[in-house]
Amino acid sequence: MDVGIVRALGSPDGKELLRSLPPYDPAAVFALQERLRREGHSPDFVAALLTQQRLQSRAVAKFGEFARDMLYTPDGLEQASRLEVAATHAGRYYNASLATVHDLGCGIGSDAVAMSALGVTVHGVDIDPVTAAVADTNLRPWPDSRAREGYAEEFEAPRDPLRSRVGVWLDPARRVPGRTGRHGRIKRVFRLDEIRPSWQFVLQVATAVPATGAKLSPSMPHDAIPLGTEAQWTSYGGDVLECAVWWGPLAHRPGRSARILMPGRSPVEVDETMAEPDPPVAEGPGSIGAWLYEPDRAVTQAGLLGAVTGATLGVEVDRGLGYVLSEAEVDLPFARRYAVRESMPFTVKTLRAWLAQHGITGLTVKKRGVRLDDDELRRQLKIGRRAGDGAQATVVLTRVAGQQTAIVVDPVPVAEAPATT
């Protein structure tokens, strides 16, 4: 796809044709391709239409009902902030009363669209001309917001950004173009010194423009967080998506925080004021109480496990593993609770005997701090993933005070989270 085809797709006729296509069906692609060519459309345009049809079907998971109103590139869709996360970003700029935001590395424009929808004018740039053209097309409902091809490093800060109510949003590239991993996806980078534009450039922009935010990897090192900023790890459905760093008026609470998003539930935020600074650790198997808590991964990535141990009067199973043991029954919107049925020193022989004694034929294995192959373990336990109609069980394989331990648990239904502001 080139810029000319993007413009054709974004024209009134192109959008109307795209909306007229049926839902994506792999079995119907060739018939649809032939029909479009018979109607006089060029092969390149037909290929682009079918690509957009396929990407729009994938985009529903990120953008819901708005998916069919946007254009995509394959990489741009994968990297774009999902709707709920983009809305969170946009809310920070809107609540800071900013008039204009420079989106440096705008991708297909998901964040720029969310900001524009709140009345913030966005000037986006992206190094890839096709991606920039896609973003510009996605921003057309808001005539004051535009995107263009360009380098983030060419940004020039206004002389008085606070008076002119200007902010900056950066989404440095964390993928290496032209290089793919084992599964065919573009290779990701995780170190701050490998992102583009560089971390040093991000810091320079934040010095020049106080209202700056940057979307970074969830592996963001805690010791690299600039003083006075807020670093917020965000998860959706249990998967940690990003660590965003916020400067100046965009920082709600300086320090580390976690934001937990779940489908159909209110957002939950956890910050350092809610957490014990040095969470206690189990002293031995006797620390295994009636309940085991599994914090949301955004909480553990943000280093806020102390919010779970503090709320439950519990202890971590072993330093750095994240599971919390407690005698207290507490419903937490940022941790999953499990009732402990049984615990035992972990050996294959001991666990196999327990499973056989209780007629367990279906097993869910959760592990942390124990290295083993799931398939080999199931073979040794003589049990399948869904073997037969017998009893089901969940076992947590972990270390408790340095000792490999098997804890058989029952998941407790998740309670509805209270709304947060």
Side-chain angles (χ1 to χ4, degrees):
M1 188 164 66
D2 59 27
V3 173
I5 287 182
V6 173
R7 289 173 179 160
L9 290 169
S11 69
D13 289 343
K15 285 191 171 183
E16 183 178 353
L17 179 57
L18 190 54
R19 289 194 193 100
S20 72
L21 299 182
Y24 176 69
D25 178 1
V29 167
F30 290 112
L32 180 58
Q33 181 184 56
E34 288 302 315
R35 192 200 87 191
L36 292 169
R37 288 186 177 179
R38 285 197 305 269
E39 292 174 358
H41 302 292
S42 71
D44 287 345
F45 186 66
V46 169
L49 277 170
L50 297 178
T51 296
Q52 290 304 310
Q53 182 200 37
R54 175 173 55 85
L55 293 177
Q56 284 184 347
S57 69
R58 288 173 46 195
V60 171
K62 276 194 173 185
F63 302 114
E65 61 184 285
F66 303 102
R68 289 181 64 85
D69 295 326
M70 297 176 64
L71 298 182
Y72 307 94
T73 67
D75 293 339
L77 175 57
E78 182 178 341
Q79 299 166 30
S81 299
R82 64 178 303 120
L83 179 63
E84 297 86 348
V85 180
T88 297
H89 300 157
R92 296 226 182 200
Y93 291 94
Y94 173 79
N95 291 330
S97 299
L98 297 178
T100 304
V101 171
H102 293 269
D103 188 346
L104 308 182
C106 63
I108 62 171
S110 58
D111 286 300
V113 165
M115 294 180 207
S116 299
L118 292 180
V120 179
T121 297
V122 180
H123 300 315
V125 297
D126 196 275
I127 193 172
D128 179 65
V130 172
T131 302
V134 167
D136 194 56
T137 299
N138 290 336
L139 286 170
R140 283 187 186 172
W142 302 275
D144 292 338
S145 293
R146 299 300 303 269
R148 61 176 179 82
E149 177 189 359
Y151 291 92
E153 293 86 348
E154 296 174 344
F155 170 71
E156 295 184 5
R159 293 184 179 180
D160 191 349
L162 288 178
R163 182 179 295 274
S164 55
R165 297 162 57 205
V166 170
V168 173
W169 172 242
L170 298 108
D171 185 358
R174 301 193 302 276
R175 291 165 173 80
V176 183
R179 296 181 60 185
T180 57
R182 290 185 304 168
H183 303 293
R185 293 186 175 181
I186 292 180
K187 184 178 179 181
R188 298 190 182 203
V189 298
F190 298 95
R191 293 170 39 176
L192 278 178
D193 59 2
E194 295 178 318
I195 63 174
R196 182 179 180 183
S198 69
W199 178 236
Q200 189 60 38
F201 175 76
V202 173
L203 296 177
Q204 290 172 359
V205 171
T207 299
V209 182
T212 291
K215 176 181 174 180
L216 301 163
S217 167
S219 61
M220 175 75 178
H222 291 182
D223 59 5
I225 300 170
L227 187 65
T229 64
E230 178 184 359
Q232 184 170 85
W233 281 258
T234 297
S235 67
Y236 184 86
D239 294 327
V240 187
L241 304 178
E242 67 176 33
C243 171
V245 178
W246 304 99
W247 283 261
L250 302 177
H252 295 165
R253 306 175 193 86
R256 288 172 281 111
S257 65
R259 184 173 175 87
I260 297 99
L261 302 173
M262 288 283 185
R265 300 178 63 203
S266 301
V268 174
E269 291 197 6
V270 180
D271 61 53
E272 292 185 56
T273 66
M274 303 165 62
E276 294 180 300
D278 188 19
V281 178
E283 296 180 353
S287 300
I288 300 175
W291 305 98
L292 181 142
Y293 293 84
E294 181 181 23
D296 185 273
R297 290 189 178 275
V299 173
T300 54
Q301 286 280 86
L304 299 174
L305 183 74
V308 181
T309 57
T312 63
L313 302 178
V315 295
E316 188 176 11
V317 290
D318 207 355
R319 185 69 69 190
L321 295 188
Y323 289 126
V324 171
L325 303 167
S326 176
E327 291 287 359
E329 180 181 354
V330 184
D331 286 329
L332 296 177
F334 48 86
R336 184 74 188 272
R337 178 162 56 92
Y338 297 84
V340 175
R341 291 175 57 182
E342 188 76 66
S343 64
M344 65 200 81
F346 171 56
T347 66
V348 172
K349 182 178 180 180
T350 302
L351 181 56
R352 183 172 59 218
W354 189 93
L355 295 173
Q357 179 185 353
H358 292 81
I360 303 299
T361 61
L363 187 66
T364 298
V365 178
K366 302 173 73 68
K367 61 182 187 292
R368 230 177 257 179
V370 175
R371 291 188 177 182
L372 48 82
D373 180 82
D374 282 1
D375 292 332
E376 177 63 16
L377 174 65
R378 290 177 183 280
R379 187 189 66 78
Q380 293 176 341
L381 293 175
K382 299 180 180 179
I383 197 168
R385 295 181 184 274
R386 293 290 177 187
D389 299 323
Q392 306 291 308
T394 298
V395 62
V396 176
L397 303 179
T398 188
R399 296 195 311 267
V400 177
Q403 301 180 39
Q404 290 195 349
T405 305
I407 308 174
V408 183
V409 298
D410 290 325
V412 176
V414 179
E416 172 63 27
T420 61
T421 57

